[in-house]
Amino acid sequence: MSNTRRTDAVLLLVALVWGSSYLSAQTATAALPVLLVLLARYALSALACLGLVAARAGNRHGSRRWTRDELRAGVPLGVTQAAVLVVETYGVAHTTAANAGLIISLTIVLIPFLDRTGHPGGLPPAFYAAAGVCVLAVGLLMSGNGFHAPRLGDLLMLGAAVVRAGHMALIGRLTAGRAIRPLHLTTVQTLVGSVLFLIPTAHQLPTLVRADAATWTQLLYLALFCSVFAFLAQTWAVQRTSASRAGLLLGTEPIWAAAVGIALGGEHLTLFTGLGAALMLAGTYWGQAVERNHRTQHAHRAATHRATDVRPTQDAQDTRDAQENPTCPATTPTSA
């Protein structure tokens, strides 16, 4: 297998794992309270991350100590990440896994509204059209067999998409231009989440200990595969491919969520939800492509503008040098 195909396979595996997380969370929350499930997920993830940090330090691949930037970014991001998972997990517990994975993909078109970096002057009209398609898709997904009041779980997943978009925008602001190691940042976030969920669930720990093997299997899968493995594999793969290709492959997460929900969860897509799923996928891919092209074009124009500004500045400096010292001829400017 070539390096490109290996990288693509890893990204698709990450998307599959994330897509399957909705059914796993739904199964776990059927046996345990939501906050207790999140405590177990965070605590197991934190233990795994601490083990990896210690292993890397022992192999001289890195330091075990956290930098100030990693702590300053990790603590608030740990809080916002915990907020995302609270709303998301409560939502999954009250809707289908397929709907959960499809509605949460609305995050893709919400992020550019919250993070305007690279979009001075606003986004192009085509992006708003794509966002409109996604909104229509959400309405169809919430309709089920016909138009009616939306289910609580669907509304919570819609809220989770908004909170996740804010979390992603905050990641960009807190990590830009700073030397932050992904593993160390993730470890801080999991430790913060573990503390946050331990406080309200400490009296429920005996219930967690008495959980059956099937529930513990779901909890381990959520922690070790959907959290630790998926994040580290994503980081490894993104470093070896283009952002566009990675986004395209990771964007298949809602497809896997729907497939897993139907194949393993016994869920069914009605006419309305099937149409909503198709529109959601089309809208998110369209919006992602429009935003990416707009950002790339802006970066190209900015680079061109900086390049054209260098020559006039140098010419003006040469003219001033010649006027101040007539014995030294001015440098003849070359054509751009």
Side-chain angles (χ1 to χ4, degrees), residues 1 3 42 73-74 84 98 112 119 123 141-142 160 167 176 191 219 226-227 235 237 252 254 308:
M1 183 182 293
N3 289 332
Y42 265 94
V84 172
H119 311 118
L123 293 158
L141 288 169
M142 290 182 177
H167 172 69
L191 289 171
L219 295 175
C226 301
S227 297
T235 303
T252 61
T308 56

Side-chain angles (χ1 to χ4, degrees), residues 18 86 88-89 102 108 115 123 125 168 186 282 289 306-307 321 325:
W18 277 343
V86 166
E88 185 178 294
T89 308
L102 289 162
I108 295 173
D115 183 10
L123 293 158
M168 297 299 293
T186 303
R306 286 194 299 269
D321 291 343
N325 188 6

Side-chain angles (χ1 to χ4, degrees), residues 199-217:
I199 296 172
T201 60
H203 65 285
Q204 297 177 321
L205 290 179
T207 303
L208 179 62
V209 174
R210 291 193 298 267
D212 58 26
T215 302
W216 273 105
T217 300

